Amino acid sequence: MTTSVTQLPAWHALQHEQQRLDGQHLNQLFAQDPQRFERFSLRLADLLFDFSKQRITQSSFDALIALAEARDLPGAIRRMAQGELINHTEGRAALHMALRNGGTWQVAGQLVSDEVAHTQARVRHFVDALWAGEIRGATGQPIRHVVNIGIGGSDLGPRMAAHALHAYTGPVKVDFVANVDPAELRAVLAQAQPEQTLFIVSSKTFTTIETLTNAQSARTWLQAALGEAAVAQHFAAVSNNVAAASAFGIRPERVFAMAEWVGGRYSMWSAIGLPLACAIGMEHFQALLAGASDMDQHFMTAPLHANMPVIMGLLGIWNTDFQDAPSLAVLPYSHVLGELPAYLQQLEMESNGKRVLADGSPVGVHTSPILWGGAGTVGQHAYHQLMYQGTRTVATDFIVVVGADDPAQRILVDNALAQSAALMAGKDQATAQAELLAKGVSASEAERIAPHMVCPGNQPSTTLLMPQLTPRALGRLVALYEHKVYVQGCIWGINSFDQYGVELGKQMARNIDALRNDPAKLDASTQGLMAAVDACRC
Ligand code: F6P
C-alpha cells in the first residue's frame, strides 16, 4: 500500500505553516527579513535561482525539506541514477542522465554507456559529414536542408533548443514538422529543394500516426521530384523501433537507435537530438549535454536544502497544494526561448498529470499545475492583466537572459525584474488614490476610480537568471526542470514516466469511423459533429 502524502506528519506540518502564513503579504516578509534574498537564492555556475518572492519563511522552507526527507527523496534520486526500473508501470528505467556525460551508467545492472557512446559517435560522424557537405542527395548535391518529422518528445525538445540556440546554427537549415494538419508540412516543403533536402523521421515507437502520415507525404513529394530510388538518400530515422524504420525503407546506416529507458519527453539528449545537432553542430550539442550534466551532478550531490531542482520542485508543490495556485506561468524574457513553455507543457503535464499512486489508489492531492506561458515582454500586453487584478494566485517562473548591454536588451531585462517585483508588491487603494489626486483628478473621481487600479500583489514567483543563453546554460536550465518534475512525482507518489491517458483519445480517433452510426458507442454530440463534417465534405 503506497502512502498518500496527506498521511505524512510532514504534510500536516505544512498545513500548519499554510495557516500560520495565511494573510501575510510578501511585502511584510521582505520587511521582516533584510537577508531574504541571500537566504532564498542559490547559484549553480552562472545560473542564479532566486526564490525569495515565494510565499515562504525559514520554517515553511524547513518543513518542505522535511517532507522531502520523509519521502526519502535522496533514495529516489539514487534509484533513478542507478538505473532501477522506477517507471514501474512500464517496467523501465528513466536514465536520461546517462546520455549527458559518458560515465558508467547501468540499467537494471546492465552497462548502457557503451551503447550510448556508440550512438553518439554515429550521430557525430553523420553531423560532421553533413556539415562538410559529404552527405549528398540522389543528384549528387550536398544536403543543406534537414526536415525533422516527429511529434511530442520527438519534436518539442529539438525544436525548442534549435530555436533557442539559433545564434549557434551552421550551414544546414533545419525545420520541424509535427502536426498532421498538412498545412505545416506544405509550408516547409514550399521552401525546400528536393535535391538538397533530407527528412529525419523521429519516433520512439515508429507507430505514431501523425509522424507516419507526414513521413509518407514527404516520401511522395520526394519521389515525385526525384523518383523512388531517391528515398534511400533523402531519409534517416531515429527510433527505438529499428525494424519499423527499416520497413519504411530507411537504410540501416541511416537509422539511429534510441533506448527504451529514455522517455520521449526526456529524449532531446539522445539521437532524437539529431536534427538539433544538424543545426548547431556537435561541439555545441556536446556543450548542451555538458550543461545538463552540470545539473545532474548538482542534483545527485547537493544537500536537499541547497539543491536547486529539489527546492524548485518543493515550491511547486507548496504553490499547488498549499497556496491554491492551479497553474504555473513560465515566462522567458527571451524571444529565442519562446518555444520553452510548449516544451515544458509536455515535460510537466505529461509527466505529472496523474491521479493515482503506485498501487493504483487515489493520490489525494492536486498534482501537476497547468503550465502555460510565453515570451516576455509580449505577454505583458496579453495576460499579465489577469496576474495583476484577476482572482487567482498565479505562480510564475521568470527566465531572464541578461545578454548584450544594448538599449533594447536593457528594456527587456528591466521589464522582467519589474514584473516579478510589481506582481509581488501590488498597489493598494491609498496609493492609487494619491496618484490620481497628484494627476489633478477630483477627490470624488479619484475615489470612484481608485478601486479599479488596486493590485493585491503577493503573486509568488521565481527568477532564473543567466548572463547568456549558451548551449551549456540551456542544458542546465532544461535539466533543472526535468529533475524538478521527478522531485514532484516522488513527493506526490505518482509515476512521472508513463502516459497511459493519451491512448484513450488516440484509440477513439482510430475507431471513430467504425463507431459512426453506433449511438451505443458514440455520444449524440459526436455523432452530430460527424454528420456536420460529412455535410461539409459533400
Ligand atoms: O502521445 C504521447 C506520446 O506518446 C509522447 O509521450 C511522445 O513523446 C509522443 O507521443 C511521440 O511518440 P513517438 O516518439 O513514439 O512517435
Side-chain angles (χ1 to χ4, degrees):
M1 171 80 178
T2 315
T3 313
S4 165
V5 70
T6 56
Q7 306 307 308
L8 300 176
W11 193 264
H12 304 148
L14 283 164
Q15 289 167 325
H16 175 70
E17 277 296 311
Q18 175 193 30
Q19 283 146 18
R20 188 183 65 76
L21 279 170
D22 198 22
Q24 290 208 49
H25 196 289
L26 278 161
N27 291 339
Q28 293 167 275
L29 299 182
F30 270 96
Q32 290 157 10
D33 178 5
Q35 300 309 312
R36 193 174 166 82
F37 172 72
E38 288 73 22
R39 185 189 308 281
F40 295 137
S41 60
L42 269 180
R43 289 173 191 275
L44 175 67
D46 61 12
L47 178 61
L48 168 62
F49 167 49
D50 169 23
F51 58 101
S52 60
K53 294 195 183 83
Q54 292 288 345
R55 298 175 180 171
I56 55 167
T57 60
Q58 190 60 50
S59 60
S60 29
F61 180 78
D62 297 343
L64 286 167
I65 298 298
L67 177 67
E69 279 151 1
R71 268 305 205 205
D72 182 25
L73 190 58
I77 296 171
R78 228 183 3 265
R79 284 189 290 279
M80 179 164 75
Q82 288 168 355
E84 287 189 24
L85 307 184
I86 56 174
N87 176 0
H88 54 81
T89 52
E90 296 180 314
R92 293 175 180 165
L95 202 54
H96 32 283
M97 290 196 286
L99 302 165
R100 324 242 243 205
N101 77 332
T104 51
W105 299 87
Q106 298 186 347
V107 166
Q110 297 298 312
L111 190 70
V112 294
S113 301
D114 293 350
E115 73 180 81
V116 171
H118 173 67
T119 302
Q120 285 179 346
R122 292 190 62 221
V123 167
R124 171 178 287 283
H125 179 75
F126 182 85
V127 172
D128 290 352
L130 182 74
W131 277 40
E134 293 158 10
I135 305 280
R136 295 178 178 276
T139 63
Q141 290 186 43
I143 297 295
R144 280 292 163 259
H145 186 193
V146 165
V147 178
N148 185 72
I149 297 177
I151 199 164
S154 299
D155 165 79
L156 289 162
R159 183 194 289 253
M160 175 277 293
H163 190 67
L165 300 174
H166 185 72
Y168 298 85
T169 48
V172 178
K173 179 175 186 283
V174 177
D175 281 311
F176 294 85
V177 173
N179 201 332
V180 74
D181 180 335
E184 188 173 26
L185 180 62
R186 208 182 295 133
V188 167
L189 295 182
Q191 312 294 322
Q193 296 173 30
E195 299 79 4
Q196 300 185 351
T197 300
L198 177 122
F199 297 99
I200 301 176
V201 184
S202 293
S203 176
K204 181 176 179 181
T205 58
F206 220 84
T207 61
T208 304
I209 190 154
E210 294 95 333
T211 301
L212 298 183
T213 305
N214 282 326
Q216 191 51 50
S217 305
R219 177 154 70 180
T220 306
W221 174 83
L222 191 88
Q223 286 169 331
L226 303 177
E228 166 63 28
V231 169
Q233 278 151 293
H234 291 265
F235 273 80
V238 179
S239 185
N240 178 239
N241 186 348
V242 174
S246 308
F248 182 87
I250 298 170
R251 294 192 310 222
E253 66 270 25
R254 286 282 183 82
V255 178
F256 298 84
M258 65 177 289
E260 68 154 17
W261 41 264
V262 178
R265 51 190 176 272
Y266 298 86
S267 66
M268 64 181 263
W269 327 96
S270 72
I272 286 288
L274 177 63
L276 171 60
C278 292
I280 64 174
M282 284 312 288
E283 183 211 331
H284 296 311
F285 187 69
Q286 284 303 143
L288 180 84
L289 298 181
S293 177
D294 294 341
M295 190 56 73
D296 297 343
Q297 296 315 313
H298 169 74
F299 183 49
M300 290 188 286
T301 57
L304 298 181
H305 69 272
N307 192 312
M308 233 181 244
V310 169
I311 296 170
M312 210 168 157
L314 291 169
L315 290 169
I317 290 173
W318 175 245
N319 284 325
T320 301
D321 294 305
F322 296 92
Q323 297 299 310
D324 193 23
S327 80
L328 171 66
V330 175
L331 309 180
Y333 273 65
S334 156
H335 173 71
V336 294
L337 278 175
E339 310 267 355
L340 184 67
Y343 168 78
L344 293 175
Q345 282 181 326
Q346 185 198 18
L347 178 66
E348 299 223 9
M349 294 201 274
E350 198 174 81
S351 293
N352 289 341
K354 310 284 168 60
R355 56 191 312 109
V356 296
L357 301 170
D359 65 1
S361 60
V363 66
V365 293
H366 277 308
T367 50
S368 178
I370 295 158
L371 192 147
W372 57 284
T377 64
V378 178
Q380 293 176 199
H381 307 272
Y383 37 75
H384 282 220
Q385 169 56 36
L386 175 143
M387 297 165 78
Y388 280 108
Q389 293 189 313
T391 56
R392 300 179 186 283
T393 296
V394 178
T396 302
D397 289 354
F398 288 91
I399 298 172
V400 183
V401 178
V402 177
D405 190 3
D406 69 52
Q409 187 66 19
R410 271 179 171 272
I411 293 170
L412 178 68
V413 174
D414 289 352
N415 271 274
L417 304 190
Q419 289 292 321
S420 66
L423 284 166
M424 177 190 79
K427 176 188 289 192
D428 61 23
Q429 180 145 348
T431 309
Q433 216 150 330
E435 283 175 3
L436 288 165
L437 294 170
K439 283 187 191 147
V441 175
S442 71
S444 60
E445 193 58 3
E447 198 168 337
R448 186 176 72 82
I449 301 294
H452 299 269
M453 296 169 69
V454 171
C455 299
N458 206 31
Q459 291 286 24
S461 70
T462 284
T463 295
L464 293 162
L465 186 142
M466 63 199 84
Q468 298 293 345
L469 187 63
T470 59
R472 194 159 187 150
L474 181 66
R476 288 188 201 113
L477 180 69
V478 175
L480 169 60
Y481 277 93
E482 288 181 340
H483 293 319
K484 170 204 129 164
V485 165
Y486 179 58
V487 166
Q488 295 180 329
C490 293
I491 303 282
W492 283 318
I494 58 179
N495 178 4
S496 298
F497 299 107
D498 62 14
Q499 59 284 321
Y500 288 108
V502 295
E503 296 311 319
L504 181 59
K506 292 183 192 177
Q507 188 189 11
M508 185 168 281
R510 280 193 297 273
N511 304 334
I512 200 153
D513 231 24
L515 297 174
R516 151 196 313 275
N517 303 326
D518 183 345
K521 294 225 175 77
L522 206 55
D523 64 274
S525 154
T526 311
Q527 294 272 8
L529 292 169
M530 288 178 84
V533 168
D534 293 347
C536 296
R537 289 181 181 146
C538 291

